[in-house]
Amino acid sequence: MSIGRKNISKNKRFYVLTALLLFLVIGFFAGQTVYAEISQGRGSFRLQVGQRRQLQSQGGGAPYRWSTSNSGVVVIDSSSPDSPYAMVRAVGEGTATIQLRSDKFVPTWGGGTIDTLVETWTVTVTAASGTATGGNNSTGNNTGGNSNAGNNTGGNSNTGNNAGRNNNTGTNTGSASPVTVNRVQLNKSSMTIKIGKTKSLTATLRPAGVTSRLTWSSSKPKVATVNASGQVTALKAGKTKITVTTANGKKATCTVRVVRPQVKKIRLNFRRVTLDSGGKATLRYTVSPQNASGKVTIKSSNTKVAKVNKKGVITAGKAGKATITVKASSGVTAKCKVTVLPKPKKIKLNPKSLNLKTGDVRQLTVKFKPKKASSSLRWSSNNSSVASVSASGVVTAKRAGSAKITVKTVNGKKATCNVKVTAAANSGGASGSGNSGTGGSGTSGGTGSNGTGNVTNIPAASVSISGAISYMRTGTTMNLSAAVSPSNTTDAVSWSSSNSSIASVSSGGVVRGLKKGGVTITARAGNRSASVKIAVVSGDVYDVSKGQILVLGDNASNDSVKYCGNEYAYNMSEGVTIVQSDPSRSNFIRIGGGKVTFANVHISGNAVSVVNYSRLEDSPYKGDIVIEFMDGTDNYFFYKNAPIDFMGGSSGTANLILQGNGRADLYSDYGPALSGEGIINNAPNLVLHGN
């Protein structure tokens, strides 16, 4: 019998061990569960504005993460990731949910998992009043504030019907006056903010210690916005009033002035200039950033030498040197040095006389006293049919006779050269025969050559073009003029077009638009040249210098452009072209459909907005929108944020496509220069300059 018991005992141990091993294996795999969230409501309670309450986690572990669904009703006054406690405070009437997220260990057969425990409390906040939390140690009907039961007509703050017991909440409906806000003050009554910058306002309530829900608002949200914390963000230049309002209607305001950024750099069209006395030159400047504001002044260091007006026109006075300073209110400056040459006291011509044959050419030279005197001269001939003279003193003999060449300075000094012209001998020989009886025949003749004089070359130093604007229509003409310095240069001006099939140019600078496209027209004198870019356009053309441009379309019948207060229909397949007659002026552009071509536009301080197509009342357009930069043109876009902003993402619109071989530079002060999803960039010469 004993032997049998031992065998049975061994078998029991075997089965127990096997079962235990199987239990552990199953538990191990069962422990590989996905982490979960465990949500548990902790009930609800009521507070009055200004009251606090401490809450405690009931089962979670660190870290503890407290939050409120409405900070305008209840705020978390104090909490710590390592502590299960938090103090909450009622700040405004309403309902809010306090949430605590913490880690909770959940055991399994094979160990355990760390799940997330989510605990919530619902808080209802009412206005501060005579209702209070009971804490009297007395029971019964207490109309006083003493610890004795019974009727008490006293005026203690605990007066009222208190049904509470020891440390339990009771209802006190006594005559205590509620603590309300009687005044609210802001830390600033006015302030100035630059576009894109932020500043904060702080509200102080009186009497001290009182609390209230605060509402912030801006009278002009397009100028500046304000959030629930009193942080003001400047958007565009202008003025607005920021107002804070308490729950009981008390208000305080701050006047906010939004200004453009200050000038950081000034560029001049030239930094040195030499003038004759009485001569003029126009100094032009540009500032950076282009949307900068502030007063710019132009002053001369010596007004007796050179005066300058507000438009930058410099007028030369007496001989000497002066410095013209362009200064912005930010303190940034740029300077131009002006040299005024003295008036000549005496001039001489070399040579004083000439003997020429018809067709001869001679260069006359002038000697000045003093040597660095003003060199502005006027040439004339008293008989230009015999000998003419150019503006640079080149004399051409035309026919036999006499002439006097005179050169005169701006202050009346003059010199002369007497010219005698004789007929030139014929080239080659002539044969003849003697009269009969004269003893035979003979030949007479001779060989002559036209005399050619050496001409002194005076190279061109600079060339400039006037009369150009950035666009012209096909079939029209534009008259350009070239100014070459010095005025007595011997280099002639020649004109050329980069693409004569788009626009041709005559020898006199007349440009004719032939077909749509961009060209560069160049004037050249010697080794110097100047160029202008011109866009030849056709079809529906709108000038962004003159007003806002709103392009809409729905691929059907609602294809229109709103421009300068009027509405125009346009051809969706051809699209519209936007040009700019005045590069210093631009306006807002909004695109809601079709194709828009930019041709030599420089847009600064305004955005090109491709509309949000979920706003079907604005643009029910279906399909891609195309922005094209015309070949051969230069385009420039500058805005504080993205100068081209695509607000896509709706079901009705697919993509914004950028195309064309024209140059396009996009500049942004804040953030990317091109914004939006669904943008396809097929424009090889698009350059983004964002932050």
Side-chain angles (χ1 to χ4, degrees):
M1 295 295 294
S2 62
I3 294 174
R5 286 195 193 95
K6 290 181 179 179
N7 291 334
I8 293 172
S9 178
K10 289 181 179 180
N11 289 337
K12 285 183 177 179
R13 286 196 297 271
F14 172 77
Y15 290 128
V16 170
L17 291 174
T18 301
L20 180 60
L21 179 60
L22 181 61
F23 179 81
L24 291 174
V25 171
I26 294 173
F28 173 78
F29 288 101
Q32 308 307 304
T33 58
V34 179
Y35 292 177
E37 283 193 358
I38 303 171
S39 298
Q40 295 182 357
R42 299 304 185 201
S44 62
F45 59 92
R46 302 173 69 88
L47 291 175
Q48 294 180 5
V49 174
Q51 289 184 331
R52 300 186 182 189
R53 180 163 178 170
Q54 180 174 276
L55 302 180
Q56 178 183 0
S57 173
Q58 300 178 30
Y64 298 94
R65 302 173 291 279
W66 294 86
S67 63
T68 176
S69 66
N70 191 339
S71 59
V73 176
V74 178
V75 296
I76 311 296
D77 257 3
S78 61
S79 64
S80 169
D82 299 321
S83 173
Y85 298 95
M87 182 66 72
V88 299
R89 176 167 55 89
V91 295
E93 296 178 61
T95 302
T97 300
I98 303 298
Q99 185 184 84
L100 169 61
R101 301 177 69 88
S102 59
D103 293 343
K104 183 176 180 64
F105 178 77
V106 178
T108 65
W109 289 350
T113 62
I114 302 297
D115 292 341
T116 299
L117 176 62
V118 181
E119 301 171 80
T120 56
W121 292 261
T122 301
V123 187
T124 300
V125 179
T126 59
S129 67
T131 303
T133 300
N136 292 340
N137 292 324
S138 58
T139 61
N141 185 25
N142 187 347
T143 60
N146 298 329
S147 60
N148 297 324
N151 292 327
N152 189 334
T153 58
N156 292 339
S157 61
N158 289 330
T159 300
N161 182 24
N162 189 341
R165 302 192 63 175
N166 291 341
N167 297 325
N168 292 327
T169 301
T171 302
N172 186 339
T173 60
S175 59
S177 299
V179 181
T180 59
V181 177
N182 58 33
R183 187 165 52 125
V184 58
Q185 288 180 312
L186 289 174
N187 60 323
K188 295 180 180 179
S189 60
S190 64
M191 63 182 180
T192 300
I193 316 177
K194 295 179 183 177
I195 292 177
K197 301 297 183 180
T198 61
K199 286 187 179 181
S200 293
L201 292 173
T202 302
T204 302
L205 305 180
R206 292 287 184 270
V210 71
T211 60
S212 174
R213 180 176 58 185
L214 300 178
T215 302
W216 297 84
S217 63
S218 171
S219 62
K220 294 182 180 179
K222 290 185 178 181
V223 174
T225 59
V226 60
N227 65 13
S229 301
Q231 185 181 66
V232 182
T233 301
L235 299 179
K236 76 172 188 177
K239 284 186 179 182
T240 184
K241 286 188 177 182
I242 303 299
T243 302
V244 60
T245 307
T246 65
N248 65 340
K250 301 298 181 181
K251 296 182 179 182
T253 61
C254 172
T255 301
V256 175
R257 179 171 175 258
V258 178
V259 298
R260 296 182 182 275
Q262 291 185 323
V263 176
K264 295 181 179 179
K265 190 173 183 179
I266 300 175
R267 295 183 178 89
L268 302 177
N269 58 332
F270 52 79
R271 292 187 175 274
R272 293 177 183 273
V273 64
T274 299
L275 298 172
D276 298 329
S277 179
K280 293 184 178 183
T282 301
L283 183 66
R284 296 184 177 90
Y285 67 86
T286 56
V287 299
S288 178
Q290 289 195 359
N291 69 334
S293 67
K295 186 178 180 180
V296 177
T297 58
I298 307 177
K299 291 184 179 181
S300 171
S301 63
N302 190 337
T303 55
K304 292 182 179 180
V305 173
K307 293 180 179 180
V308 62
N309 64 17
K310 293 180 179 180
K311 295 183 178 180
V313 178
I314 303 170
T315 303
K318 71 174 187 178
K321 293 184 177 182
T323 300
I324 305 298
T325 300
V326 180
K327 184 177 182 180
S329 56
S330 62
V332 177
T333 62
K335 297 182 179 182
C336 173
K337 293 183 178 180
V338 180
T339 299
V340 178
L341 298 175
K343 295 178 180 179
K345 294 181 180 180
K346 187 176 181 182
I347 60 172
K348 290 182 180 181
L349 267 179
N350 183 31
K352 292 182 178 181
S353 62
L354 284 173
N355 293 313
L356 304 176
K357 296 185 180 295
T358 54
D360 284 355
V361 177
R362 291 289 189 275
Q363 171 73 58
L364 298 179
T365 59
V366 181
K367 292 184 178 180
F368 297 88
K369 187 177 181 180
K371 290 183 178 181
K372 292 185 177 181
S374 170
S375 59
S376 293
L377 301 171
R378 293 181 181 178
W379 296 84
S380 63
S381 170
N382 70 342
N383 194 343
S384 56
S385 63
V386 172
S388 64
V389 62
S390 71
S392 58
V394 178
V395 178
T396 301
K398 293 185 174 181
R399 68 178 179 84
S402 297
K404 181 182 288 187
I405 304 298
T406 302
V407 60
K408 185 180 293 186
T409 66
V410 291
N411 63 331
K413 305 298 180 181
K414 64 182 180 178
T416 60
C417 173
N418 294 315
V419 180
K420 184 178 181 181
V421 180
T422 58
N426 292 330
S427 265
S431 62
S433 60
N435 291 328
S436 57
T438 60
S441 63
T443 61
S444 65
T447 301
S449 62
N450 292 333
T452 302
N454 295 325
V455 178
T456 302
N457 289 325
I458 302 175
S462 66
V463 180
S464 62
I465 297 176
S466 60
I469 61 173
S470 63
Y471 75 96
M472 63 187 303
R473 284 189 173 271
T474 55
T476 63
T477 59
M478 182 185 299
N479 296 322
L480 304 182
S481 299
V484 184
S485 177
S487 59
N488 62 343
T489 180
T490 55
D491 291 330
V493 175
S494 62
W495 294 88
S496 64
S497 169
S498 63
N499 192 332
S500 56
S501 67
I502 293 176
S504 63
V505 59
S506 71
S507 59
V510 179
V511 182
R512 181 176 297 276
L514 301 177
K515 70 176 184 180
K516 190 174 181 179
V519 295
T520 301
I521 303 298
T522 301
R524 182 177 297 277
N527 293 325
R528 304 296 179 182
S529 64
S531 299
V532 292
K533 286 187 176 290
I534 299 175
V536 181
V537 297
S538 61
D540 296 302
V541 180
Y542 299 91
D543 189 347
V544 73
S545 299
K546 297 180 180 179
Q548 293 186 352
I549 302 174
L550 310 180
V551 183
L552 306 176
D554 62 2
N555 297 117
S557 60
N558 187 31
D559 308 327
S560 64
V561 175
K562 294 181 179 179
Y563 175 67
C564 294
N566 298 309
E567 188 168 351
Y568 305 89
Y570 75 99
N571 188 322
M572 286 287 295
S573 61
E574 294 182 4
V576 301
T577 302
I578 296 179
V579 296
Q580 187 177 30
S581 59
D582 183 355
S584 67
R585 298 185 64 184
S586 61
N587 288 279
F588 173 75
I589 298 174
R590 180 179 172 195
I591 304 172
K595 175 183 174 183
V596 175
T597 300
F598 290 100
N600 287 332
V601 298
H602 287 191
I603 298 176
S604 177
N606 290 284
V608 176
S609 176
V610 183
V611 300
N612 187 337
Y613 296 103
S614 63
R615 299 170 59 184
L616 298 182
E617 74 278 8
D618 287 338
S619 177
Y621 177 82
K622 305 290 190 286
D624 293 336
I625 284 191
V626 177
I627 290 180
E628 181 171 313
F629 307 107
M630 180 182 283
D631 294 3
T633 64
D634 283 344
N635 302 278
Y636 173 102
F637 304 83
F638 174 84
Y639 193 58
K640 61 178 182 293
N641 299 314
I644 295 183
D645 184 15
F646 177 46
M647 296 180 289
S650 72
S651 59
T653 301
N655 299 298
L656 168 62
I657 300 176
L658 305 177
Q659 65 185 37
N661 294 320
R663 172 82 180 193
D665 290 88
L666 274 61
Y667 292 84
S668 170
D669 272 349
Y670 312 102
L674 184 64
S675 176
E677 297 181 359
I679 299 177
I680 299 174
N681 182 16
N682 294 329
N685 297 315
L686 174 65
V687 182
L688 304 179
H689 307 270
N691 292 324

